[in-house]
Amino acid sequence: MSIVDPNYVDMGDLRKQDNVPLASFLDNADRADTSTLGGQPFFSGREAEIKMFRTTVNAIARGKMANATIVVEGPPGAGKSALLCQFIEELRSLPAIGTQPRAWLPVFMNAGSAMQPKSLMSAVDEAIALHLSKALIHAKDDEGYSALAQRLKAIVKSPEPESARDIARTILDRGVSAFGFHIGAKSDPNPASLIEVAALRQSQWSDWQIVLMLDEAQHISSATPNTDPHLLSSLHLGAVNLPMTFCAFGLPGTSNALANVGVSRTSFNHSARLSSLDPTSSEMVVDRCFTRYGVEDTGCWKSAILERSANWPQHLACYLNSALTTIRQHAGVADDLGAPDDDCLSIAIRQGDAQRKAYYGQRIKGLSASNFNYRSYAKHIIPMLRNAEGGLPLQDIGDALTSPPLSLPASHATDFLNAAQRSGLFVESDDGHLQLAIPTFAGYVMGEEPPPIPEPSAQSLDI
């Protein structure tokens, strides 16, 4: 029996997660706020990926624990963190499952420490404490939290002025008995393996359906100190009796990193490769944002942002940030910005161009840091990919790198292509073709400047 409808259609309506003050949204710049573990404001599209997630959730609810791992790969700026936040938002709305109901518990972890048993145990305990602290703040009779809230209030002493995170820290520092087990203020031995984690926490975690949200998952490695080389593979295969699964988000190459630590049985319907948004979803991002902050009679502002962004999530965030900042400064109000002055459009676009150039400047530095010559290799390949609709087979790219005038050793060519994909310059399609992940990134690598900013009366801008 399904607990959630797997069919997800984004209708473009404002949602609760969009209700953030303008100043907070602008402070967030171009990043999804993973620290709050909530949905990103003005998130749009990604319907196929959310359907995949919901299908997996239904499978977990039916007792299918093994092979439930989801892997999401994408170049920098493709919206991985935003999708991670949205998956967490999805989990928050799910009903408890099982004959002895387990509540869904998203646990955010940086994958660099995901192979360390103590880090895993601490992350889950902290997530439980945060969940309980939110229950304390929002306790309602119909949620069954009233008795728990009274017990927590006795421990944390008048929590109303504090944030949920402050209360969670108090719970962990002082300790509290909740749902029949103890959280915090208890010295457990440091677990050296997942088996020891299970022994310490098996009964304590039985009330939760735990979903590890692993960010930067390309860094997963058993070579990190104090790791258990079997940790994730044991969870993935259901070898350890814990109600736990995980989603891994990372750059291209994440699937290979997971395979290296024993997570290799992912299936095609549990993985996704993010690229640009479709035009309709991009338009909904701008519409949601402008509607929320009362931007009226947008005229060429919307068209300019969409054209300049080229449907790339990071670009959309960048140009929306610069547009709203410019409109607010000119309007002199904190919210409900009203009709913008089109004379300010060129200022906003110029600021967005500068932000985007700085972003890609860092990416180019990262590529060149691997090898000083990598940028020149990229300049050799980019024109080939620009002239080939749908990209070129990897074999053809490899031949171009190992033949004159470059004549690179095969291993050197492979290292370059891997570094270029990690940087977000190239992306490999499902049919094994190499493509330009972000055309504007390629332009900056080639030393090209953005096109001129047209007069405010223009209805569109060229990329």
Side-chain angles (χ1 to χ4, degrees), residues 151-200:
R151 278 189 288 165
L152 292 178
K153 283 184 178 181
I155 295 292
V156 301
K157 309 293 185 185
S158 184
E160 285 77 4
E162 300 179 272
S163 71
R165 288 192 176 277
D166 291 334
I167 298 172
R169 178 50 52 193
T170 302
I171 291 172
L172 289 169
D173 290 344
R174 298 183 184 180
V176 61
S177 177
F179 292 129
F181 65 90
H182 195 84
I183 299 174
K186 180 180 179 181
S187 57
D188 286 321
N190 291 338
S193 69
L194 184 61
I195 300 300
E196 294 182 30
V197 171
L200 288 167

Side-chain angles (χ1 to χ4, degrees), residues 273-295:
R273 289 183 178 177
L274 298 188
S275 57
S276 59
L277 293 171
D278 63 82
T280 300
S281 297
S282 296
E283 187 171 359
M284 284 192 292
V285 172
V286 179
D287 286 341
R288 278 188 170 115
C289 188
F290 279 180
T291 299
R292 168 63 183 85
Y293 299 121
V295 180

Side-chain angles (χ1 to χ4, degrees), residues 3 246-247 350 366 418 432 462:
I3 64 171
F246 60 93
C247 301
R350 190 176 295 111
N418 288 337
D462 295 327

Side-chain angles (χ1 to χ4, degrees), residues 341-359:
D341 186 341
D342 284 350
D343 289 338
C344 298
L345 175 58
S346 62
I347 298 174
I349 295 300
R350 190 176 295 111
Q351 290 178 349
D353 287 346
Q355 292 179 30
R356 190 171 69 173
K357 183 176 182 179
Y359 173 81

